[in-house]
């Protein structure tokens, strides 16, 4: 079984920065794409950024140029560096990982972190 543990959320001022981390724990798995999603008050969950195992990143238009996603495969960890934050970034941020079990590598599963609150004041 795999668990995703998130950290780094908190309160920031407009124009400030935060760095989110998500570490996958467990054994007998390999990680394909990892990503960050968010859900703001009264909104649906949306994709923020994803990164493949080879390092190819994709971003939502709303965060391009401000957020940077990266991963450390040796640590099974994905990061989201958030710069130039604005109040519209306020949301619960969720880590996602598409994972293959080594015992059954033809089947992938999506795992979700518990969510971490990001609040940006104006």
């Amino acid at each position: 079984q795999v668990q995703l543990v998130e950290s780094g959320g908190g309160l920031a001022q407009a124009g400030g920065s935060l760095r989110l981390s998500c570490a996958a724990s467990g054994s007998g798995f390999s990680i394909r794409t990892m990503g960050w999603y968010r859900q703001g008050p009264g909104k649906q969950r949306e994709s923020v950024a994803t990164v493949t195992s080879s390092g190819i990143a994709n971003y939502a238009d709303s965060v391009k140029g401000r957020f940077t996603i990266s991963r450390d495969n040796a640590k099974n960890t994905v990061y989201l560096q958030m710069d130039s934050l604005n109040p519209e970034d306020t949301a619960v941020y969720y880590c996602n990982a598409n994972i293959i079990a080594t015992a059954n590598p033809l089947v992938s599963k999506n795992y979700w972190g518990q969510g971490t609150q990001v609040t940006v004041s104006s």
Side-chain angles (χ1 to χ4, degrees), residues 63-106:
V63 306
K64 286 181 179 178
R66 300 188 300 119
F67 291 8
T68 303
I69 189 170
S70 61
R71 63 190 288 172
D72 185 337
N73 290 334
K75 296 181 179 180
N76 289 326
T77 300
V78 64
Y79 307 93
L80 186 67
Q81 178 67 43
M82 303 184 294
D83 298 320
S84 301
L85 287 164
N86 59 59
E88 288 70 41
D89 297 316
T90 296
V92 177
Y93 284 69
Y94 297 90
C95 176
N96 172 268
N98 186 251
I99 291 175
I100 297 174
T102 55
N104 192 12
L106 298 181

Side-chain angles (χ1 to χ4, degrees), residues 16-81:
S17 298
L18 288 172
R19 185 173 186 250
L20 307 182
S21 299
C22 174
S25 63
S27 62
F29 68 89
S30 62
I31 304 175
R32 298 171 70 191
T33 300
M34 303 186 78
W36 290 94
Y37 294 71
R38 68 186 182 187
Q39 186 168 17
K43 299 180 179 180
Q44 293 185 314
R45 187 174 299 187
E46 64 176 353
S47 175
V48 177
T50 60
V51 59
T52 69
S53 60
S54 61
I56 301 174
N58 190 43
Y59 299 92
D61 288 341
S62 60
V63 306
K64 286 181 179 178
R66 300 188 300 119
F67 291 8
T68 303
I69 189 170
S70 61
R71 63 190 288 172
D72 185 337
N73 290 334
K75 296 181 179 180
N76 289 326
T77 300
V78 64
Y79 307 93
L80 186 67
Q81 178 67 43

